[in-house]
Amino acid sequence: MRITRRLSILACTTVLTVPVLAMEQKVWAADSTFTIEEIVVTSRKRDESLIEVPDSITVFTAEQIEAAGIRNVTDMANLTPNMFFTPTYRPSEMQMTIRGIPTAQGGEAPVAVIIDGVQIAHPTFVNQELMDIQQIEVLRGPQGSLYGRNAIGGAINIVTKQPTNDFEGLVRGSYASGNDFRGAVVLSGPIVQDKLLFRVTGMMRDYDGQIKDQTAVRGGRNADFDKSYIAKASLLLNASENLKIELRGNYLDQTAGAPTIEIVNGQNSDNYSQSFLNRNVMTFDEREIKDVSLKIDYDFGAVKLTSISGYSKSVANLFGDADFTPAPILLQQVDLSVKALTQEVRLASNDDGRVNWLVGFYYQDRDTDNFLQIPFDDGTGQPGGGFAIQSFDVGSSKSVAGFGSASIDITDQLEFTVGMRLDSDKRKSVDAAFAGSDAGETFKSLQPKVQLRYQWTDEMSTYASYGRGFRSGGFNSFFAVGGADRGFDKEISDSFEIGFKGQFMDGQLLVNAAAFYTKFDNQQFFFVTVDPPSQNITNINKVDITGFEFDITARPTNNLDITASVGFVDSSIKDFDGTGLYIGNKAPQSPQYTMGLTMQYLMPLSDGVDLRAYAAYMRRGPIYWDMANVSKTPAKDIINLRLFLELEQWSIGGYVDNLTNARYPTQFGTDAFGPDAHSRVPSPKRQFGVQGTVRF
């Protein structure tokens, strides 16, 4: 009754998540109807209309990704209610928060990220340039019944563009503040007409950076420089009418500045009028990623068999200052290597009957080497004279899961969906620098999900759901056990949600709303201690999360599109460690609310020539960074603008990201360097740019 009452109150005051509009920009000028195009999603591993899926989903189509200038998952999250994605102290790490559920640094993400059916094996693979993307689907709420462990807060399904049967291509270049050069080339076409098709994509970035050190750092580069190269390739074989085979590969080579950690106190923690970066050594992070996947679909008629195999490897090496002062005291060397092999096999119904079902099996074998050395500085910015810390943590994870789902049309209007997944994750950790550091545990959980959807009309539906989420536990570095336990426990959440989806005014207005309540056990939280020096993950016993999301998309004229969204989260600590400590405080690392407004107007100038104007306003609510609720970042406003002249085969224009130069910490560590000496990673500065694209 208490849960029902909370959801009922929220339902009266709230609204939902609406998809970002699917826009075919050349259709606008010629089509006489204002109707918003139907959006098809694959979130339940089958093609469905968005309005039919009983989940809170935001969708970005290829046209919207280009119109908004979305280049990475952070850009995408800024336009999604109740999401907060930012890079951490190094490019290969991401802080991901969804519906009040954060990432604990060094732990697993609260979101499953799937690219072309392959689930990303580790957060280090997430922060890459998004290019040549067909669609992004963001599902909020636990998705473990289909996507497994770590989908405790949701899932992001990224679909890249497929090879084409007609030869086509794209060349794009841009220049922006900070000497930021970007270039991209895409080629697609047939090798054997109708049978064997290819697609290749190449990208590069050469960025000097805009964030300067307060003192002159050796090396002559800004703290946030980035030089990276990405190559993607795919082959599609239509072997027969029933058999389709897709092979994809990806390669990334990156050297970037990191970590941009500042030491600040309580008085200047929100002061960005000057730089507090003050190091004697230029810090850089080198990263190389290789991954390949193979997808095989065979259509038997009544059922379809799908096999998805993936292999990925990432090697990242960081070197730089460790005391973050001009004095030659400490340096750091961090090596992170991740290798993963994944395999998923599923069998799904292939008809449009009253029952749609699927069953599947998933396996992942992952090895992680996380080596940390803190050598003393010899006075010249080089290691010398021993080490303050040495840790050589070798970890492994072997995960297996069986899952299934069935949707039953009880009546023409009423659909009942039940899903179930059992995950087992066997983990081990040993530090080669310490004898007796061996640790191991198997984390298991059953993840059920039950949904009920009522389709009032073809344009309006309501739903109610319950789902259990699970995020695997793990182990802190052995040297850190003086500050925390060696292991941290798995997370379990029980989430209840009600929602509404509707299309009104002859298809010119979409309205989506959802309210949710989540009971959280053992929420993982990252913190830093100085004495002893360590970085740890611990568990908060119990956290309650209540919230809502509301979104509308409107097309008042054939040339104007408007979206508006609001997301709110109240994340409250109910029990920290069995004592009265922190009870009633807000759980850290999550904005209390998000707001967004986007407008796009297409002005026909002449036959085949259009002027496209795009504006996005985003407001991120206050964020507490610690469990004591001492460190707080106030609300921030971000404005992005874009203006482009477009023809059938080319476009040229300019943009500005973060027009008002809003600054905030992407990471904040309370008392990380001692009392009232906090660590802060500053956000990017305002950036002006121009971009040109040629299609053929």
Side-chain angles (χ1 to χ4, degrees), residues 154-264:
I156 300 173
N157 187 28
I158 301 174
V159 182
T160 63
K161 291 184 177 180
Q162 287 206 331
T164 56
N165 206 33
D166 296 318
F167 185 77
E168 65 180 35
L170 175 149
V171 178
R172 172 172 294 162
S174 67
Y175 175 77
S177 309
N179 285 329
D180 191 359
F181 292 92
R182 296 176 187 259
V185 177
V186 179
L187 292 174
S188 180
I191 298 175
V192 179
Q193 196 75 30
D194 298 323
K195 284 290 186 181
L196 183 61
L197 316 177
F198 79 94
R199 193 175 192 96
V200 294
T201 303
M203 291 170 285
M204 61 78 62
R205 186 186 190 192
D206 192 349
Y207 176 45
D208 287 349
Q210 293 179 271
I211 300 177
K212 299 181 182 297
D213 281 75
Q214 194 175 37
T215 55
V217 175
R218 288 60 172 163
R221 305 192 76 168
N222 291 331
D224 56 334
F225 75 91
D226 186 354
K227 190 169 187 176
S228 54
Y229 302 90
I230 301 177
K232 300 175 182 287
S234 61
L235 285 173
L236 173 61
L237 174 63
N238 296 310
S240 69
E241 185 178 348
N242 298 329
L243 178 61
K244 184 170 74 171
I245 301 173
E246 298 176 68
L247 178 65
R248 297 183 181 273
N250 176 59
Y251 176 78
L252 165 70
D253 187 317
Q254 181 182 38
T255 301
T260 52
I261 289 181
E262 302 172 306
I263 301 178
V264 296

Side-chain angles (χ1 to χ4, degrees), residues 257-273:
T260 52
I261 289 181
E262 302 172 306
I263 301 178
V264 296
N265 57 38
Q267 289 185 331
N268 58 31
S269 62
D270 197 47
N271 178 11
Y272 292 90
S273 62

Side-chain angles (χ1 to χ4, degrees), residues 214-215 218 277-281 321 323-329:
Q214 194 175 37
T215 55
R218 288 60 172 163
L277 290 173
N278 216 353
R279 306 168 298 176
N280 69 302
V281 176
D321 203 339
D323 55 84
F324 307 105
T325 71
I329 303 173

Side-chain angles (χ1 to χ4, degrees), residues 577-589:
D577 59 357
T579 68
L581 193 63
Y582 305 134
I583 289 179
N585 285 8
K586 303 299 181 185
Q589 300 181 1

